Amino acid sequence: MPCPGFGHRFVYSISDVMSVFNGCAPHLVLLDLSLPYRSGFHWCGEIRKHSKVPIVFISSAADNMNMVTALHQGADDFIPKPFDMPVLVAKVQALLRRSYDFAEAPDTLACKGAVLHLGDMSLECDAGRVELTRNEFRILQVLMESRGRVVAREAIMRRLWDDESFIDDNTLTVNMGRLRKKLQAAGLADFITTKKGEGYLVAPEE
């Protein structure tokens, strides 16, 4: 799993698939079909309940039935083993290009009537401009970048650590509380939703 702030993460225990996924909010998931206890189909379905992240199956069980089932379960591609590494890399790069716009970094992030300005770390909404601290801005940035997907507390803390800010679980709670008060004062009381036991979510417009 290529994860923001982590590089690549591997699941070493089959029972940890969803905890690792939720903990690092990956940009891409590579799955085998033949796994202990439950197949890759099962985990593809579980991931699809929470995320639209690109999923690629890599498996030697590459008959037509398995390929079709994988796509019906929500996978974006199925690459048979053995595979040619340049072909795999090219397919992954193409999938990432289609899923994310890496051509030019945006100056703003917009969602639910709010616009986050990445240059001056401020938030603009109907009530006016909201000034944010560096940590508040980073928290809101990672949530808006992942809008529509739940972001685990661990993923947010890792993002802030990567920005060389000291943050632990208690610090995140304090910053999240202050951020929510600012959002509420600006008429955005329900902008951030807490998913108990999972993390936080900024839902896109319906």
Side-chain angles (χ1 to χ4, degrees), residues 17-29:
V17 172
M18 293 310 300
S19 61
V20 172
F21 177 86
N22 291 326
C24 71
H27 285 137
L28 175 74
V29 174

Side-chain angles (χ1 to χ4, degrees), residues 104-162:
E104 184 177 347
D107 296 323
T108 61
L109 295 171
C111 186
K112 298 172 73 172
V115 178
L116 184 66
H117 294 269
L118 305 185
D120 62 5
M121 297 192 302
S122 66
L123 184 71
E124 190 174 0
C125 59
D126 290 341
R129 208 169 183 86
V130 181
E131 300 300 326
L132 304 170
T133 66
R134 190 174 187 83
N135 279 348
E136 291 165 355
F137 166 76
R138 292 296 186 191
I139 292 169
L140 201 53
Q141 182 183 15
V142 70
L143 291 176
M144 291 180 72
E145 286 175 347
S146 303
R147 57 188 176 275
R149 294 192 291 135
V150 177
V151 181
R153 290 176 63 89
E154 293 81 2
I156 299 174
M157 288 189 286
R158 174 61 63 176
R159 179 70 171 266
L160 270 64
W161 264 111
D162 288 345

Side-chain angles (χ1 to χ4, degrees), residues 21 25-29 47-48 51-55 74 76 100 149:
F21 177 86
H27 285 137
L28 175 74
V29 174
I47 290 170
R48 275 290 170 262
S51 173
K52 296 180 179 178
V53 63
I55 298 175
D76 296 274
Y100 308 100
R149 294 192 291 135

Side-chain angles (χ1 to χ4, degrees), residues 20-91:
V20 172
F21 177 86
N22 291 326
C24 71
H27 285 137
L28 175 74
V29 174
L30 302 179
L31 268 178
D32 200 343
L33 179 59
S34 301
L35 298 172
Y37 305 111
R38 295 184 182 271
S39 73
F41 293 147
H42 169 81
W43 296 113
C44 182
E46 289 299 301
I47 290 170
R48 275 290 170 262
K49 292 178 183 177
H50 303 277
S51 173
K52 296 180 179 178
V53 63
I55 298 175
V56 178
F57 273 90
I58 302 177
S59 176
S60 57
D63 58 76
N64 288 342
M65 179 66 74
N66 283 334
M67 288 183 176
V68 170
T69 302
L71 296 175
H72 282 311
Q73 286 293 105
D76 296 274
D77 204 348
F78 194 115
I79 300 174
K81 293 180 182 178
F83 55 83
D84 185 61
M85 183 59 73
V87 173
L88 172 63
V89 172
K91 285 196 170 192

